[in-house]
Amino acid sequence: MSRTHPFIRVVVIAFDGAEMTMDCLRSITRSSWPSSRIEIVLVDNGSLDGVVALVRNELPHIRLLEPMRNLGFAGGCNLGIESTSCSSGNPLAPFDCVALVNNDATVEADWLEKLIEPFEESKDIGAVSPKMLFAPRYSEIEMSGILSDGAMTGEGLLRVRSIRLNGVRADDALAFDECFSPLGDHADREDELDQATRRGGRLRIVRDPGTTLSPMQVSICVGSNVSGRLRLRSDVDDREVHLSPMKGEQDRHWVDVQVGSDVFDVINNVGSELYIGGSAGDRGFLQRDRGQYDEPAEVFAWCGGAVLLRKEYLDDVGLFDESFFLYYEDTDLSWRGQLRGWRYMYEPSAVIRHRHAQSSVAGSDLLRFQVDRNRLLVLTKNAPWLAAISAVVGELRRFGRLGTQDIVKPMLRLSPPRLRELRLRWRILRSYFSMLPGVLRDRWSMKLRRSRAQIFLWAVQKIVSAPNFEAPPTNSQNEHLQETTVPLNSPAQVESRSVRPRAAVFNLYWDTLGGGEVVSGEIARLLTTSHEVTLLGPKRPDPQMFLDRLGIDISQCDWREIHDDAGAGDASAEYDVFVNGTYSSRAVNRAPVGLYYVHFPRVLLPQTTKLALETGIRLSRLASRTPFRTSKFATAERLFQERLGNDSWVSSYTKFLANSRYTQKWVERIWHCGSQVIHPPVRGRRAPDEDGGAVDGHSPMSAKSPVPKSCVIASVGRFFDPNLGHSKKQLEMLTAFADMARSREGVDDWRLVLVGGADGASRDYVLRIRRAAQDLPIDVHVNAGRDVVDESLSEASIYWHASGYDEDEQRHPERFEHFGISVVEAMAAGAVPLVFGAAGPAEIVRDGIDGFHWHTLEQLARVTRRLMHDDELLQRMSQSARVRARDFAPEVFDEHIRALVESLSAANHSAPNQTM
């Protein structure tokens, strides 16, 4: 190995987060290490964000490995280390050292020069860790805990729900130190932070280093279960507030604190250590960087987020254990090296900045499952028997306590059991015991140079103690916190509504910007011409994003924070018109005029829930016959009955609106009420007519001129795993096109383009599609921007749509396309639609007039070939499709909604004493 410039392979694992990955790769390419002695390898672990295309366009010198599946961190790193050629077939150079860098981290220019120095001092050093700091810099507010009668009390629970920075909600800008933890019952709620502490802690506010750090007002939403005083201190403010006990979940207090220009770095990792009990952790985690770790030190383990590894070390110890998949794989490899006599150093002069828990959300069930299971596996594999067995017994005891706490006690109180945590612990134990035989084989096959007890005793000397907080002194001039709600709208917007009627539009999913939000946003925009409109939902929608993405202006609407159906029902009583646009909502309407726009009714309760409710009814009836019967059993039975099939909320609405005749049919069958069909408004690029103008006289959404038609078949829709329900059947369409391409006739220059969004739940389905599309004229665009959708539809001569294919409508009516906005968008762009002949698309497309229906994949292929080879038919059908698309324009929708609201409001005013 060259003394000064060994050849280094840098391995980065991509798992979504394209912007972060590009930032990471750009920082590595700016390294001062000689370019002839470094090779950067990106392993795409099944990303859904097009990062590979971005790298090919901007950083073509980076070597790509595309396994077309998620190998986990362990498997992805092993692939990057072991591979001798990249996916294109070009060879990868032999290396002397391997650097691992998380895709959510960035490096400083001299990081490799600093990390290589300890290797030159001793040959038994197998890895060197840098100083890893959190990417942002912070300001800090210290909360000294809840006081009762002037002394700290263990009974006090302080909950932090949300923050506002200069009046704007900014929960993502808030971080907590180790004194805080998610409150169990609400840890999975996306609309609230709900972090809790019993002894106080520090709130850290992310500060943008690119702006002038002027003083800022921080409003903190807090709650407490006891009366007392809370002290809050920042670099420029020091105040006490009085908190009264919370009366319910909606009870909360807001307190204002000023922060100044004092900013600092927070440590993520300065090497890793082992604690009593066998947990591994980041050394220095969440500590303010005051220079306390500015000296090199030997550490028990290294962190895989950023590390330089010696090749001889990997040759001796081996690579990552891929069965770990994610988390603790670096601890395992470090521990195995310790047992073989290798040492690890921390080098503070090498600095990495890291965005914490971006691939797996902190506190998520995925993270907790992987961490807790893998901790047991690492101990079983590497620790002394006593430590390993104690950890497993401790997990079994925890499972037993949860069974009593979350099942037995709630049932004795006639409350539903809490199963989430118990299911997680059961999954951990089941997975651990299934992997136990292989782990024991690995343990017994190790050739040790140091004893397990010796390494364990040396490592666990590093014990983390909780930070101590001073109790704030009593002060007779204490400031009392008023229990008020600070409006999120500007004062100009919160003016009296003395003249115009008030309307509310309820949607729980404003931020998804899907078809349901198009309808809700358009109704809200329309109502602003005659009403004062408030949007109800858990997260405030961004008016600019709504305008840019959907072309709908909601800037004249107010917003009110509502988290569920119950809250929406209560709020509806304050308005003249209440519009429910939430999919599957059961909110009760209490406004004089209530409209419910139905995207599709909730078909049935999930089978497991239905079974649980029916079992609860039987148990309550059985218990009522025992000698211990009380009136609570009758109450429990009544509640179970209501949960099982209570649709009384249906009668509270004045009018139900269905997005199609298909939805209308199922509203009648399921909710037993009538509805009026008003098709959703469809905006999109309008194809030019023969004179070059817009067909319907409306300006297109995009300012770009339409792209000439090409030999392209397009299909737009979310990539849903069929096992999760409403699949768009992209894999079936791909199979049909692949059969056409491989047939003797072929497809000439035609291509199939699949465009749609996807989330992690459907990742495996997307990767199956990508693997199947290899070596075929098929393009797959996942989570692409609106410009890609517009361009694909503008280029497409034919449009395929297959939702509902091979499904049983009587068993699963929700799996069919309820309307088909993308079909109308394609028709407006001049593409000839070929749709599965059922449900919503069969209403939009008139078979043989402005498109075609199909029922088998063979029929789809046959009609497609006919259009491919008959230009006159293709042009005629394209023109007819453009004309048909006018029937679903926003102007048509607006006219229907305006007339309906006016007629219902007039009827309500003429009969004020009647319930609508």
Side-chain angles (χ1 to χ4, degrees):
M1 183 170 75
S2 170
R3 180 175 179 78
T4 55
H5 291 113
F7 193 92
I8 298 177
R9 178 183 294 181
V10 182
V11 177
V12 178
I13 311 297
F15 186 73
D16 293 337
E19 181 180 348
M20 293 187 305
T21 303
M22 295 302 293
D23 287 343
C24 172
L25 295 175
R26 292 183 192 112
S27 72
I28 296 172
T29 59
R30 292 192 291 266
S31 298
S32 55
W33 197 258
S35 58
S36 61
R37 304 299 295 167
I38 185 174
E39 185 172 53
I40 306 172
V41 176
L42 178 69
V43 181
D44 179 27
N45 240 355
S47 299
L48 302 177
D49 53 14
V51 65
V52 170
L54 292 175
V55 171
R56 284 181 176 142
N57 291 334
E58 182 181 339
L59 303 170
H61 62 282
I62 290 178
R63 303 307 183 96
L64 292 169
L65 291 170
E66 302 175 75
M68 292 291 183
R69 55 179 53 85
N70 182 12
L71 301 176
F73 183 80
C77 286
N78 287 352
L79 180 65
I81 294 170
E82 290 182 306
S83 294
T84 57
S85 62
C86 56
S87 295
S88 63
N90 294 327
L92 297 175
F95 56 85
D96 302 304
C97 299
V98 173
L100 305 179
V101 182
N102 268 12
N103 70 322
D104 52 4
T106 55
V107 303
E108 295 192 350
D110 62 350
W111 67 297
L112 288 175
E113 282 90 344
K114 301 299 184 182
L115 288 177
I116 204 70
E117 291 176 0
F119 282 165
E120 299 173 347
E121 297 174 1
S122 177
K123 292 188 177 297
D124 66 345
I125 295 175
V128 182
S129 291
K131 174 186 280 189
M132 190 183 299
L133 302 173
F134 286 107
R137 306 193 79 198
Y138 298 88
S139 291
E140 186 172 81
I141 298 173
E142 181 178 326
M143 308 180 75
S144 299
I146 297 178
L147 303 179
S148 180
D149 299 325
M152 188 73 72
T153 172
E155 300 297 324
L157 181 70
L158 176 67
R159 296 167 68 169
V160 176
R161 300 292 191 86
S162 179
I163 66 164
R164 295 178 182 139
L165 303 182
N166 291 332
V168 179
R169 183 162 176 173
D171 292 353
D172 290 341
L174 182 60
F176 299 85
D177 71 5
E178 285 186 313
C179 295
F180 285 91
S181 60
L183 202 63
D185 291 342
H186 302 281
D188 59 339
R189 286 183 64 165
E190 298 179 356
D191 50 44
E192 291 183 343
L193 297 170
D194 214 1
Q195 295 273 339
T197 179
R198 292 189 183 277
R199 62 179 185 270
R202 292 180 172 90
L203 305 182
R204 282 161 180 164
I205 316 299
V206 174
R207 304 301 296 269
D208 184 356
T211 61
T212 303
L213 295 176
S214 57
M216 178 173 58
Q217 178 174 291
V218 180
S219 301
I220 309 170
C221 180
V222 297
S224 169
N225 63 337
V226 299
S227 294
R229 298 187 182 281
L230 175 68
R231 187 175 184 180
L232 301 102
R233 290 183 291 184
S234 71
D235 59 326
V236 296
D237 205 352
D238 188 346
R239 64 177 58 198
E240 291 182 2
V241 295
H242 175 76
L243 295 181
S244 57
M246 297 180 296
K247 300 180 178 64
E249 282 299 311
Q250 302 302 318
D251 192 12
R252 54 194 71 192
H253 310 270
W254 287 91
V255 57
D256 294 334
V257 183
Q258 290 286 329
V259 296
S261 57
D262 181 31
V263 295
F264 54 86
D265 286 317
V266 175
I267 294 171
N268 188 166
N269 176 281
V270 287
S272 297
E273 53 194 356
L274 192 68
Y275 310 135
I276 290 177
S279 296
D282 297 310
R283 181 168 168 257
F285 185 61
L286 292 179
Q287 294 181 26
R288 181 171 178 168
D289 186 11
R290 304 179 186 272
Q292 67 271 42
Y293 295 103
D294 280 358
E295 293 297 326
E298 183 175 350
V299 293
F300 167 71
W302 45 267
C303 171
V307 66
L308 184 65
L309 305 171
R310 191 193 294 265
K311 184 176 185 296
E312 291 84 354
Y313 160 63
L314 296 175
D315 290 341
D316 180 47
V317 179
L319 300 183
F320 292 105
D321 186 337
E322 296 186 14
S323 65
F324 283 57
F325 192 76
L326 186 68
Y327 293 112
Y328 269 90
E329 66 286 285
D330 48 2
T331 303
D332 172 63
L333 186 50
S334 299
W335 205 329
R336 284 154 46 199
Q338 288 279 4
L339 294 173
R340 293 283 296 163
W342 291 94
R343 299 188 300 124
Y344 313 118
M345 295 298 297
Y346 156 68
E347 176 51 58
S349 62
V351 178
I352 308 289
R353 290 192 171 273
H354 180 228
R355 306 183 197 183
H356 183 60
Q358 295 296 306
S359 297
S360 57
V361 179
S364 67
D365 284 352
L366 168 65
L367 184 148
R368 295 169 64 212
F369 169 80
Q370 293 290 149
V371 166
D372 289 354
R373 183 203 63 178
N374 291 353
R375 179 181 67 89
L376 298 178
L377 293 174
V378 165
L379 289 170
T380 304
K381 190 175 183 180
N382 301 294
W385 277 119
L386 180 60
I389 293 172
S390 296
V392 176
V393 171
E395 185 63 35
L396 290 170
R397 287 176 175 170
R398 183 178 184 180
F399 183 78
R401 287 196 303 269
L402 281 171
T404 301
Q405 173 184 317
D406 291 352
I407 293 183
V408 177
K409 288 183 178 179
M411 292 185 71
L412 291 175
R413 296 193 300 265
L414 298 179
S415 301
R418 299 186 295 268
L419 299 179
R420 179 188 175 197
E421 186 68 18
L422 198 68
R423 287 195 188 104
L424 176 63
R425 308 326 299 183
W426 169 248
R427 285 179 55 217
I428 290 169
L429 287 170
R430 184 177 61 183
S431 180
Y432 166 75
F433 282 111
S434 69
M435 298 173 67
L436 183 59
V439 172
L440 291 176
R441 284 194 299 269
D442 291 340
R443 179 186 177 99
W444 292 328
S445 64
M446 285 185 190
K447 296 179 180 179
L448 309 182
R449 292 177 182 166
R450 296 179 182 172
S451 74
R452 299 182 191 275
Q454 178 187 6
I455 295 297
F456 187 79
L457 290 174
W458 168 74
V460 298
Q461 293 173 358
K462 311 174 192 302
I463 301 174
V464 172
S465 60
N468 293 319
F469 294 92
E470 311 175 1
T474 59
N475 186 344
S476 60
Q477 301 299 320
N478 283 334
E479 176 182 339
H480 289 260
L481 178 65
Q482 300 297 318
E483 185 179 347
T484 59
T485 301
V486 180
L488 294 187
N489 300 299
S490 65
Q493 290 175 298
V494 189
E495 56 187 9
S496 63
R497 314 315 200 197
S498 58
V499 179
R500 306 175 80 194
R502 305 180 67 202
V505 181
F506 171 51
N507 192 311
L508 287 177
Y509 313 107
W510 289 110
D511 56 332
T512 64
L513 301 178
E517 290 62 62
V518 169
V519 173
S520 296
E522 184 66 17
I523 292 176
R525 183 202 64 78
L526 177 64
L527 288 176
T528 57
T529 62
S530 56
H531 292 68
E532 300 292 347
V533 179
T534 300
L535 309 181
L536 309 181
K539 294 183 179 180
R540 182 176 188 174
D542 184 338
Q544 189 59 49
M545 186 175 294
F546 234 82
L547 186 62
D548 294 342
R549 295 276 297 274
L550 303 181
I552 300 174
D553 182 5
I554 59 170
S555 61
Q556 300 304 308
C557 301
D558 294 336
W559 176 73
R560 180 173 174 179
E561 190 172 349
I562 296 294
H563 296 287
D564 50 32
D565 283 349
D570 292 341
S572 66
E574 303 174 25
Y575 299 91
D576 302 290
V577 177
F578 175 69
V579 181
N580 191 342
T582 301
Y583 175 73
S584 241
S585 171
R586 298 165 69 91
V588 176
N589 167 60
R590 294 184 175 90
V593 175
L595 299 178
Y596 191 135
Y597 194 94
V598 188
H599 304 286
F600 202 73
R602 180 182 293 176
V603 179
L604 288 173
L605 291 169
Q607 196 60 35
T608 53
T609 304
K610 184 179 180 181
L611 178 61
L613 292 173
E614 290 176 344
T615 302
I617 293 172
R618 295 190 183 101
L619 288 175
S620 63
R621 289 175 179 172
L622 179 63
S624 67
R625 301 189 185 102
T626 68
F628 307 101
R629 58 184 177 272
T630 69
S631 60
K632 287 188 175 181
F633 292 120
T635 302
E637 181 180 348
R638 178 177 57 79
L639 292 175
F640 281 127
Q641 290 282 11
E642 289 178 357
R643 290 289 304 278
L644 186 60
N646 181 10
D647 285 337
S648 61
W649 60 271
V650 172
S651 61
S652 69
Y653 284 88
T654 313
K655 194 81 171 181
F656 282 85
L657 309 177
N659 59 359
S660 66
R661 293 195 301 274
Y662 178 74
T663 297
Q664 182 185 49
K665 176 180 70 175
W666 284 98
V667 168
E668 172 64 31
R669 290 191 185 183
I670 296 172
W671 289 345
H672 310 293
C673 66
S675 59
Q676 177 182 340
V677 175
I678 298 182
H679 295 121
V682 181
R683 283 179 163 84
R685 184 194 298 275
R686 303 287 172 178
D689 60 15
E690 294 178 358
D691 298 326
V695 169
D696 54 6
H698 300 291
S699 299
M701 287 281 293
S702 172
K704 295 168 62 179
S705 58
V707 180
K709 291 297 179 183
S710 305
C711 295
V712 170
I713 302 170
S715 184
V716 177
R718 285 191 66 84
F719 292 90
F720 284 117
D721 189 314
N723 295 322
L724 302 179
H726 186 56
S727 173
K728 302 296 184 179
K729 305 291 182 177
Q730 287 96 342
L731 191 58
E732 286 79 358
M733 289 187 285
L734 185 151
T735 301
F737 187 81
D739 290 342
M740 292 174 63
R742 292 169 178 147
S743 68
R744 183 172 57 183
E745 191 173 355
V747 292
D748 297 327
D749 296 329
W750 285 81
R751 301 185 63 80
L752 174 65
V753 178
L754 303 175
V755 187
D759 56 23
S762 296
R763 188 181 306 275
D764 290 342
Y765 181 63
V766 171
L767 295 178
R768 286 176 61 196
I769 291 172
R770 283 181 172 169
R771 289 194 293 270
Q774 286 182 303
D775 303 323
L776 289 168
I778 299 174
D779 299 327
V780 182
H781 300 288
V782 182
N783 290 330
R786 182 68 205 187
D787 57 333
V788 176
V789 176
D790 288 341
E791 184 177 350
S792 300
L793 293 179
S794 296
E795 288 184 332
S797 297
I798 299 172
Y799 185 81
W800 279 6
H801 196 277
S803 290
Y805 169 72
D806 201 28
E807 297 286 358
D808 184 342
E809 180 184 340
Q810 300 308 312
R811 293 185 59 191
H812 295 291
E814 75 284 359
R815 295 185 182 179
F816 288 72
E817 193 66 67
H818 312 144
F819 173 65
I821 287 179
S822 66
V823 175
V824 179
E825 290 180 331
M827 295 169 72
V832 179
L834 276 61
V835 302
F836 181 68
E843 301 172 28
I844 298 169
V845 178
R846 297 169 296 186
D847 190 25
I849 300 176
D850 36 52
F852 293 96
H853 297 178
W854 57 271
H855 298 278
T856 65
L857 295 181
E858 292 77 12
Q859 186 181 4
L860 172 63
R862 186 167 60 253
V863 177
T864 300
R865 288 197 185 280
R866 180 183 171 192
L867 290 170
M868 286 178 172
H869 299 139
D870 191 336
D871 288 341
E872 189 278 330
L873 175 63
L874 187 66
Q875 293 300 321
R876 176 163 48 84
M877 298 295 282
S878 174
Q879 178 64 23
S880 180
R882 292 197 295 267
V883 174
R884 172 61 171 164
R886 302 178 195 174
D887 295 339
F888 309 98
E891 293 76 16
V892 177
F893 176 85
D894 290 355
E895 182 180 347
H896 287 305
I897 294 295
R898 185 180 292 109
L900 179 64
V901 172
E902 289 176 355
S903 65
L904 293 177
S905 298
N908 178 65
H909 289 316
S910 65
N913 296 323
Q914 295 181 20
T915 300
M916 298 300 294

